[in-house]
């Protein structure tokens, strides 16, 4: 995209399955990234969400098996269902302070995820949000956060603090 691009939306499933896409720079004019927009982009290794975007929609990055690094700006208020579903190379995630809830299966089977930063402002972690995140060993959950009893299920070595 050109530096002065006026692009304001990436449509639903726009780049889905683009196996040769490994990096993309989106313009600061972008306001919306549609559901599944980058799903199954098997070579996508890093992604920076522009600060003008306010939510990570349903399955936006689902099955991006090479995604190691994601920059989630403080403008994000919602991480929807299946947002990072089976992003098996994702190593760490920092949840922005405006997010109140992490929806079901948001980080399901992110098997390399070993570090999560959860802000005090988060209210709920829904069922199966971090299910089968086998590299998680310790998660500090602020006392005010209501985590579903299955939020971290199938993580055999995890200690919730």
């Amino acid at each position: 995209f050109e530096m002065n691009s006026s692009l304001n939306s990436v449509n639903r499933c726009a780049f889905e399955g683009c196996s040769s896409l490994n990096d993309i720079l989106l313009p600061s004019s972008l306001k919306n990234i549609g559901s599944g927009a980058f799903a199954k982009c098997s070579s996508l290794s890093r992604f920076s969400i522009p600060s003008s975007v306010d939510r990570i929609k349903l399955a936006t990055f689902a099955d991006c098996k090479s995604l190691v690094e994601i920059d989630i700006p403080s403008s994000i208020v919602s991480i929807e269902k299946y947002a990072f579903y089976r992003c098996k190379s994702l190593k760490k995630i920092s949840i922005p302070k405006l997010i109140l809830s992490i929806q079901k299966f948001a980080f399901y089977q992110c098997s390399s995820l070993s570090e999560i930063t959860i802000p005090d402002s988060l209210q709920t972690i829904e069922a199966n949000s971090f299910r089968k995140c086998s590299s998680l060993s310790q998660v500090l959950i602020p006392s005010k956060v209501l985590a579903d009893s299955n939020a971290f299920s199938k993580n055999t070595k995890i200690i919730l603090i």
Side-chain angles (χ1 to χ4, degrees):
F1 298 100
E2 294 180 21
M3 289 299 279
N4 295 325
S5 173
S6 60
L7 179 72
N8 63 17
S9 184
V10 173
N11 290 337
R12 180 181 180 274
C13 302
F15 293 95
E16 181 180 18
C18 289
S19 59
S20 60
L21 180 67
N22 60 18
D23 192 14
I24 189 167
L25 179 62
L26 297 171
S28 59
S29 60
L30 193 71
K31 303 277 188 242
N32 176 59
I33 298 175
S35 297
F38 296 96
K40 300 178 186 172
C41 290
S42 57
S43 298
L44 188 64
S45 61
R46 64 178 195 265
F47 195 93
S48 184
I49 299 170
S51 60
S52 49
V53 173
D54 69 352
R55 59 190 69 243
I56 302 171
K57 294 186 176 175
L58 174 74
T60 299
F61 299 100
D63 283 313
C64 288
K65 297 183 186 322
S66 298
L67 187 64
V68 174
E69 184 179 337
I70 183 85
D71 177 30
I72 302 176
S74 59
S75 60
I76 297 294
V77 298
S78 176
I79 298 177
E80 295 182 4
K81 296 175 188 174
Y82 302 96
F84 297 96
Y85 181 83
R86 294 193 319 201
C87 289
K88 295 182 177 205
S89 298
L90 190 61
K91 296 191 182 299
K92 65 181 184 176
I93 199 82
S94 183
I95 308 297
K97 292 182 177 173
L98 293 177
I99 292 179
L100 299 179
S101 177
I102 298 172
Q103 293 185 10
K104 295 177 182 179
F105 296 97
F107 295 95
Y108 175 87
Q109 208 172 17
C110 290
S111 54
S112 295
L113 187 63
S114 61
E115 186 179 329
I116 308 169
T117 303
I118 299 174
D120 290 335
S121 54
L122 188 71
Q123 293 177 359
T124 58
I125 301 173
E126 294 184 8
N128 301 303
S129 295
F130 294 95
R131 182 182 177 104
K132 293 189 176 182
C133 293
S134 56
S135 293
L136 277 177
S137 60
Q138 192 172 27
V139 179
L140 176 60
I141 301 176
S143 60
K144 295 185 279 182
V145 176
L146 178 61
D148 183 277
S149 62
N150 289 318
F152 295 89
S153 65
K154 302 291 183 183
N155 297 332
T156 56
K157 59 184 179 180
I158 196 166
I159 299 171
L160 301 176
I161 301 173

